[in-house]
Amino acid sequence: MLICIMLGFCCVAYLYAGGVQFNRLTELAKQRYGDHAVQSIGELNQALNRVSNASDEEKLIAINGFFNRKLEFVDDLNLWKQSDYWATPLESIGMQAGDCEDFSIAKYVFLKALNISNEKLRLTYVRAQLYDQDVKVVKAHMVLSYYKTPTSEPLILDNLIPDILPASQRPDLNPIFSFNDKGLWVGGSTQPKASSQQHLSKWRDVLLRIRADGIE
């Protein structure tokens, strides 16, 4: 998974909590992908409504479970014929598939739509210890991290396992850096070191496409 680094002036996009235009999402789903995508968008809307007044923990469980059930893991080369493509949630729902970035992006977007503060959510690149035919391998991977406070141990939302666990219970993951739509953190720092959108061109690009799909 390659990350394009771009420095200097750039257009930025921010996603604001609760700003999902489900009518537009449904229309685009129908045009681009057909009835199965329309049904999934409707189910997502219902899921958000069910937990709109719930605790953060209940919202995490609902959104993590929804996307882990709805999406099949497929790597970018097979799905998009590109080595590294970051999909919008609509694209992932329409294709019914995505890779680890796509799972994490979709969860981030709709947890923000449920009014979970941006400061509590970070997409986190990790080195993951996996097994390939009983041989341990280390691969780049992305998860979504939830911080109850800036210094709390994060909870990890992952497409590899269904359970949401504290980071201390995921020794298979070694964090490298994390980001949301405003900041970029390195290692275990509690303060962002830079603007994520100035340094991560793929992130900036997918945020703009998400807004064009009707998610503000």
Side-chain angles (χ1 to χ4, degrees):
M1 290 177 285
L2 301 177
I3 300 173
C4 296
I5 305 297
M6 294 184 65
L7 302 176
F9 176 79
C10 62
C11 175
V12 298
Y14 297 115
L15 303 179
Y16 297 96
V20 181
Q21 301 174 35
F22 272 101
N23 288 341
R24 177 166 175 76
L25 274 180
T26 301
E27 179 183 352
L28 292 174
K30 178 68 173 179
Q31 291 174 358
R32 298 176 186 174
Y33 304 105
D35 291 339
H36 77 273
V38 171
Q39 180 177 340
S40 293
I41 293 295
E43 292 171 1
L44 176 58
N45 193 4
Q46 292 172 7
L48 266 66
N49 287 332
R50 282 195 297 270
V51 296
S52 61
N53 296 315
S55 66
D56 280 7
E57 289 75 12
E58 290 171 302
K59 292 175 181 178
L60 295 178
I61 291 169
I63 294 302
N64 188 63
F66 180 87
F67 285 105
N68 281 359
R69 289 190 303 271
K70 280 292 179 181
L71 306 184
E72 176 187 2
F73 179 86
V74 179
D75 65 43
D76 287 334
L77 277 177
N78 288 320
L79 188 60
W80 298 107
K81 312 307 178 188
Q82 299 182 35
S83 61
D84 189 22
Y85 181 76
W86 290 19
T88 70
L90 177 57
E91 290 173 322
S92 298
I93 288 171
M95 299 298 286
Q96 300 177 291
D99 69 358
C100 58
E101 290 104 340
D102 305 328
F103 279 87
S104 299
I105 290 167
K107 294 171 186 179
Y108 170 80
V109 166
F110 286 100
L111 286 171
K112 283 198 68 178
L114 283 168
N115 291 301
I116 291 186
S117 169
N118 192 61
E119 287 71 24
K120 295 182 177 182
L121 299 171
R122 300 184 206 168
L123 297 96
T124 305
Y125 260 114
V126 299
R127 292 188 181 93
Q129 297 178 20
L130 306 173
Y131 285 89
D132 185 1
Q133 298 181 347
D134 296 328
V135 177
K136 183 185 288 188
V137 295
V138 176
K139 293 186 178 181
H141 182 53
M142 184 185 283
V143 298
L144 182 65
S145 302
Y146 167 86
Y147 294 79
K148 189 171 184 177
T149 72
T151 58
S152 294
E153 177 184 13
L155 298 175
I156 305 301
L157 287 68
D158 192 355
N159 64 287
L160 294 178
I161 64 171
D163 296 328
I164 299 173
L165 298 174
S168 60
Q169 295 183 33
R170 294 299 308 274
D172 55 315
L173 305 180
N174 180 26
I176 304 169
F177 69 91
S178 60
F179 59 96
N180 57 29
D181 67 9
K182 294 183 179 178
L184 173 68
W185 289 257
V186 178
S189 64
T190 58
Q191 296 295 324
K193 300 298 184 183
S195 165
S196 59
Q197 294 189 55
Q198 288 182 350
H199 290 266
L200 303 175
S201 61
K202 288 186 180 296
W203 179 228
R204 183 176 66 251
D205 174 69
V206 75
L207 288 175
L208 291 170
R209 289 187 285 117
I210 289 169
R211 292 195 68 183
D213 285 344
I215 303 174
E216 297 294 334

